[in-house]
């Protein structure tokens, strides 16, 4: 047609030649950039620092804040300070996980990431409600090292169907909430880990900042695994990471600084768990609460059993 420019056709690529840089080619999980296959990224100091800090303050610190702060500020029929910490955690953690995925040098399956984030928020929110009530029961004499039915303040409730309601609350807190919270959490970390490989051996080293953060990060994962009772989920994730490292090594790929940080954090976590179990191996009371093959006591069960008794003995003097 007159007045219209005729388009020049793109030259056909030679058979077996790679696609032009920047073009998209169909992958198993969607479009993937051809140029990002072996791209590496520097250590994400800001994200890992914020991630570790908010884990310690908002997750580990929430029951401590609930116990320390006066009841007059947060009555038992209102949310505690720890509940507000948990609410902040439920918002900040998914945001940091998404930012971590965005910085991955590899294009990752976005649909799986989004579904995992949604499940994570649902599970953490379910846990918020159940954990809030369970921790507030401490002020009424509830003992975490005992089962629900064995607790002195629970076993004499009338009608007995109320005990079933408390067991349902415990189920939502410790089983359903933890599963919907931690499974997508570890899945997202593993998906991110799959993109932390590089063919450049010089990039497989941890900076000083990563070495300083790996200790607090590992200690938090120890708390997460022991208190959440998710050792099986953790160990399967760790084994999957090890298998992936060995598989990629055969291809000449090694972990970059971010992958090394995550991998070493999991290794140190396993050592901390082994030390924790060995220390409490002969505790008969905790053995009664955790009678299964995998014996990993919760830190808060240890606190209510031993530390509370120690505080009471000091107050009696």
């Amino acid at each position: 047609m007159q007045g219209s420019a005729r388009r020049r056709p793109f030259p056909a690529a030679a058979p077996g030649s790679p696609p032009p840089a920047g073009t998209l080619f169909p992958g198993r999980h969607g479009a993937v950039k051809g140029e990002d296959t072996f791209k590496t990224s520097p250590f994400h100091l800001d994200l890992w620092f914020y991630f570790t800090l908010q884990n310690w303050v908002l997750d580990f610190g929430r029951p401590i804040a609930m116990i320390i702060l006066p009841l007059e500020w947060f009555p038992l029929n209102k949310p505690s300070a720890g509940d507000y910490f948990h609410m902040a955690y439920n918002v900040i953690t998914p945001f940091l996980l998404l930012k971590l995925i965005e910085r991955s040098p590899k294009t990752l399956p976005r649909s799986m990431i989004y579904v995992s984030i949604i499940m994570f928020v649902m599970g953490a929110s379910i846990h918020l409600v159940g954990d809030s009530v369970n921790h507030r029961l401490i002020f009424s004499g509830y003992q975490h090292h005992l089962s629900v039915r064995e607790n002195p303040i629970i076993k004499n409730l009338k009608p007995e169907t109320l005990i079933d309601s408390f067991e349902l609350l415990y189920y939502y807190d410790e089983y359903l909430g933890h599963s919907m919270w931690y499974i997508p959490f570890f899945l997202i970390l593993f998906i991110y880990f799959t993109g932390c490989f590089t063919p450049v051996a010089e990039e497989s080293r941890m900076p000083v900042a990563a070495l300083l953060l790996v200790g607090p990060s590992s200690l938090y994962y120890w708390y997460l695994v022991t208190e959440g009772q998710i050792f099986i989920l953790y160990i399967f994730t760790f084994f999957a990471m090890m298998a992936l490292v060995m598989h990629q090594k055969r291809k000449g790929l090694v972990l970059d600084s971010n992958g090394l940080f995550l991998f070493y954090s999991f290794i140190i976590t396993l050592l901390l768990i082994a030390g924790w179990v060995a220390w409490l191996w002969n505790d008969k009371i905790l053995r009664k609460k955790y009678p299964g093959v995998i014996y990993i006591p919760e830190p808060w069960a240890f606190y209510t059993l031993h530390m509370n008794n120690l505080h009471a003995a000091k107050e009696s003097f």
Side-chain angles (χ1 to χ4, degrees):
M1 291 180 65
Q2 189 175 2
S4 63
R6 180 176 296 177
R7 293 184 177 180
R8 296 177 60 187
F10 288 104
S17 62
T23 58
L24 299 177
F25 57 89
R28 188 173 168 186
H29 299 291
V32 180
K33 288 185 179 180
E35 61 184 4
D36 71 356
T37 306
F38 294 120
K39 190 194 306 180
T40 57
S41 57
F43 183 68
H44 308 315
L45 175 60
D46 55 341
L47 288 183
W48 289 121
F49 174 76
Y50 294 142
F51 194 63
T52 304
L53 179 65
Q54 67 96 31
N55 282 337
W56 274 103
V57 174
L58 300 180
D59 190 17
F60 179 80
R62 57 187 170 81
I64 298 175
M66 178 202 67
I67 293 175
I68 292 177
L69 295 178
L71 278 178
E72 293 77 14
W73 297 1
F74 304 95
L76 291 177
N77 61 344
K78 302 292 182 181
S80 69
D83 296 341
Y84 293 111
F85 279 32
H86 207 322
M87 294 175 196
Y89 174 91
N90 292 3
V91 175
I92 296 174
T93 304
F95 174 76
L96 291 177
L97 289 173
L98 286 173
K99 296 302 291 184
L100 198 64
I101 293 297
E102 286 178 7
R103 293 195 189 178
S104 173
K106 179 181 177 181
T107 304
L108 302 174
R110 296 188 180 276
S111 297
M112 185 177 294
I113 295 296
Y114 294 150
V115 171
S116 298
I117 290 292
I118 292 170
M119 285 189 61
F120 173 90
V121 175
M122 288 179 61
S125 300
I126 291 173
H127 180 266
L128 164 63
V129 177
D131 201 56
S132 173
V133 176
N134 282 334
H135 276 114
R136 303 291 262 179
L137 287 173
I138 293 177
F139 295 103
S140 302
Y142 189 84
Q143 301 177 36
H144 277 282
H145 62 278
L146 299 176
S147 66
V148 174
R149 289 188 177 271
E150 291 177 341
N151 258 273
I153 67 168
I154 301 292
K155 63 182 181 182
N156 295 323
L157 285 177
K158 300 296 181 182
E160 291 187 3
T161 51
L162 284 175
I163 302 178
D164 295 332
S165 299
F166 276 99
E167 286 188 323
L168 177 62
L169 178 68
Y170 184 83
Y171 171 80
Y172 270 98
D173 176 16
E174 297 293 328
Y175 294 101
L176 184 62
H178 282 185
S179 298
M180 294 182 65
W181 177 4
Y182 295 133
I183 290 176
F185 177 79
F186 280 95
L187 178 61
I188 292 171
L189 288 181
F190 179 75
I191 292 174
Y192 171 78
F193 184 76
T194 61
C196 295
F197 290 88
T198 175
V200 184
E202 289 75 12
E203 296 178 352
S204 183
R205 61 183 64 178
M206 291 174 60
V208 176
L211 294 174
L212 294 176
L213 276 179
V214 73
S217 175
S218 304
L219 193 58
Y220 170 74
Y221 287 129
W222 161 83
Y223 170 76
L224 191 71
V225 173
T226 53
E227 184 65 26
Q229 294 292 285
I230 52 169
F231 179 77
I232 294 178
L233 174 61
Y234 155 77
I235 202 65
F236 270 96
T237 305
F238 179 57
F239 286 159
M241 292 166 69
M242 289 184 60
L244 184 61
V245 168
M246 292 186 291
H247 175 71
Q248 296 289 56
K249 188 176 182 180
R250 296 176 182 174
K251 298 181 179 180
L253 301 177
V254 292
L255 286 170
D256 62 12
S257 57
N258 295 287
L260 286 174
F261 174 78
L262 197 55
F263 192 55
Y264 287 157
S265 294
F266 273 54
I267 292 176
I268 298 174
T269 298
L270 185 60
L271 297 177
L272 291 173
I273 293 173
W276 173 255
V277 172
W279 183 38
L280 299 175
W281 186 258
N282 295 320
D283 194 307
K284 296 181 179 179
I285 298 178
L286 291 177
R287 275 282 184 178
K288 185 178 180 181
K289 183 178 181 180
Y290 307 97
V293 177
I294 301 177
Y295 169 70
I296 301 179
E298 299 171 69
W300 275 102
F302 171 81
Y303 173 82
T304 58
L305 173 61
H306 296 291
M307 302 307 293
N308 267 358
N309 293 339
L310 180 61
H311 295 328
K314 288 183 178 180
E315 289 177 359
S316 64
F317 288 110

